[in-house]
């Protein structure tokens, strides 16, 4: 049984989706996404510029378009998921793969999500802290943050790969405190996602989620904020809403999916496959040209 993992906003790059355009079924999905959007995304994916592509309002829909197109390729090849999860905005594509959302509704929700998040007035940022356990990063974030300038762990990507999210001043204080860290890397994102600074976007996002047509999942879904599999549609909705300000528990998610069987990263990215290897989990990437052949030979290995 295959687990499907869908990448998120941090995987965008100029030229993404090029291999998908060579598959007619994937190209049809990419064209459909363009038709659904107020501003088509495919040209920006192909040509950039990068500074526009990585902007929240473009990046989230760009990666979703590739995720949905790659899923169509797997469907055409006869593969079906046994469990699904998505990293941050990738959770919306995962819900489509599980039968919770239709494709058009997925695109509309992502477009709404990206707009609401890009319009948050409070400015913040995110930085990856490499080489420290999450417990130590939590301690440092608590020391660096304040009520007025919050700082939290936003992403648990893998052991030794933790992302903090919050106010710029608190991020600067953390850099001064983290003398035992091997490396701190500033992320090219527009704000402090998965932190309290996203609170202003939550009411509108909750309304959009509650209004979207959804069906019970056909396979288990692992929400970011719980890291535990579920088929409870109300819990899935609540988790999707909480995700805007809540922590992405990706390390737990990968462990859960790996317990079901091998996984494939569904999109045009190798990031999640790399994170899976850090915890000893089995994950292929569809961005690797040999993946489909390998899945055809060993679909459950």
């Amino acid at each position: 049984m295959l687990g499907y993992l869908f990448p998120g906003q941090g995987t965008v790059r100029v030229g993404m989706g090029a291999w998908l355009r060579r598959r007619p079924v994937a190209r049809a999905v990419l064209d459909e996404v363009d038709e659904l959007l107020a501003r088509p995304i495919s040209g920006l994916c192909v040509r950039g510029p990068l500074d526009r592509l990585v902007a929240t309002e473009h990046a989230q829909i760009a990666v979703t378009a590739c995720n949905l197109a790659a899923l169509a390729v797997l469907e055409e090849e006869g593969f079906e998921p046994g469990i699904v999860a998505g990293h941050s905005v990738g959770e919306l594509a995962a819900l489509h793969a599980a039968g919770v959302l239709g494709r058009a509704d997925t695109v509309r929700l992502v477009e709404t999500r990206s707009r609401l998040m890009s319009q948050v007035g409070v400015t913040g940022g995110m930085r990856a802290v490499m080489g420290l356990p999450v417990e130590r990063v939590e301690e440092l974030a608590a020391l660096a943050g304040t009520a007025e300038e919050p700082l939290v762990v936003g992403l648990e990507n893998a052991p030794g790969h933790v992302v903090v999210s919050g106010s710029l001043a608190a991020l600067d204080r953390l850099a001064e405190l983290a003398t035992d860290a091997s490396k701190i890397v500033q992320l090219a994102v527009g704000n402090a996602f998965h932190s309290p600074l996203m609170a202003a976007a939550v009411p509108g996002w909750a309304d959009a989620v509650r209004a979207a047509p959804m069906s019970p999942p056909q396979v288990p879904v692992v929400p970011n904020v719980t890291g535990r599999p579920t088929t409870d549609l109300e819990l899935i909705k609540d988790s999707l809403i909480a995700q805007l300000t809540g922590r992405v528990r990706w390390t737990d998610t990968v462990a859960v999916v790996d317990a079901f069987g091998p996984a494939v990263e569904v999109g045009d990215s190798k990031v999640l496959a790399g994170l899976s290897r850090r915890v000893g989990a089995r994950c292929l990437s569809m961005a690797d040209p040999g993946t489909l052949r390998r899945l055809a030979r060993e679909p459950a290995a």
Side-chain angles (χ1 to χ4, degrees):
M1 179 172 59
L2 282 173
Y4 284 8
L5 302 178
F6 293 85
Q9 176 175 346
T11 63
V12 296
R13 68 189 187 284
V14 175
M16 65 187 300
W19 75 269
L20 289 163
R21 282 271 171 200
R22 295 192 289 271
R23 295 284 303 240
V25 67
R27 185 170 63 249
V29 172
L30 294 173
D31 290 344
E32 179 185 344
V33 172
D34 272 347
E35 291 173 3
L36 288 167
L37 297 172
R39 291 174 295 176
I41 195 67
S42 58
L44 190 59
C45 290
V46 172
R47 295 181 293 274
L50 182 61
D51 60 343
R52 288 193 66 225
L53 182 59
V54 300
T56 300
E57 63 269 28
H58 301 137
Q60 293 189 14
I61 198 64
V63 72
T64 301
C66 290
N67 291 353
L68 296 176
L71 176 64
V73 172
L74 286 175
E75 291 171 343
E76 184 181 53
E77 296 287 337
F79 296 105
E80 295 180 356
I83 187 170
V84 301
H87 192 280
S88 191
V89 72
E91 191 163 282
L92 276 298
L95 293 181
H96 172 61
V100 175
L101 285 166
R103 186 184 292 144
D105 290 315
T106 301
V107 172
R108 293 187 188 103
L109 270 181
V110 172
E111 190 171 35
T112 297
R113 183 184 190 271
S114 64
R115 174 177 52 80
L116 290 169
M117 294 175 74
S118 65
Q119 290 175 349
V120 170
V122 181
T123 302
M126 304 176 76
R127 293 181 189 174
V129 183
M130 315 296 288
L132 292 181
V134 63
E135 295 81 8
R136 176 57 178 157
V137 180
E138 288 172 337
E139 293 173 359
L140 292 170
L143 289 171
T146 66
E148 296 76 22
E149 298 173 336
L151 186 64
V152 298
V153 170
L155 310 170
E156 291 182 46
N157 281 334
H161 190 303
V162 180
V163 175
V164 291
S165 181
S167 79
L168 298 177
L171 286 167
D172 290 340
R173 289 193 291 270
L174 178 129
E176 297 173 358
L177 292 168
T179 56
D180 53 352
S182 59
K183 190 175 183 181
I184 296 180
V185 180
Q186 183 170 334
L187 303 188
V189 295
N191 213 320
F193 306 138
H194 306 289
S195 85
L197 294 185
M198 286 290 107
V202 172
W205 177 235
D207 289 344
V209 170
R210 296 295 180 196
M214 294 192 190
S215 301
Q218 298 169 8
V219 297
V221 174
V222 188
N224 285 179
V225 297
T226 68
R228 296 190 298 271
T230 185
T231 56
D232 184 327
L233 183 58
E234 289 307 311
L235 177 59
I236 288 169
K237 292 179 182 179
D238 291 343
S239 299
L240 193 60
I241 294 167
Q243 192 218 75
L244 247 60
T245 55
R247 183 182 304 192
V248 174
R249 301 181 183 276
W250 196 249
T251 304
D252 293 341
T253 297
V254 169
V256 166
V257 173
D258 190 60
F260 273 72
V264 59
E265 182 174 2
V266 186
D268 190 8
S269 161
K270 298 181 181 180
V271 171
L272 300 186
L275 292 176
S276 295
R277 286 193 293 271
R278 291 175 70 102
V279 296
R282 302 155 292 174
C283 184
L284 301 174
S285 167
M286 287 188 69
D288 183 336
T291 289
L292 288 175
R293 293 192 300 271
R294 182 170 175 183
L295 290 175
R297 292 195 308 268
E298 303 177 83

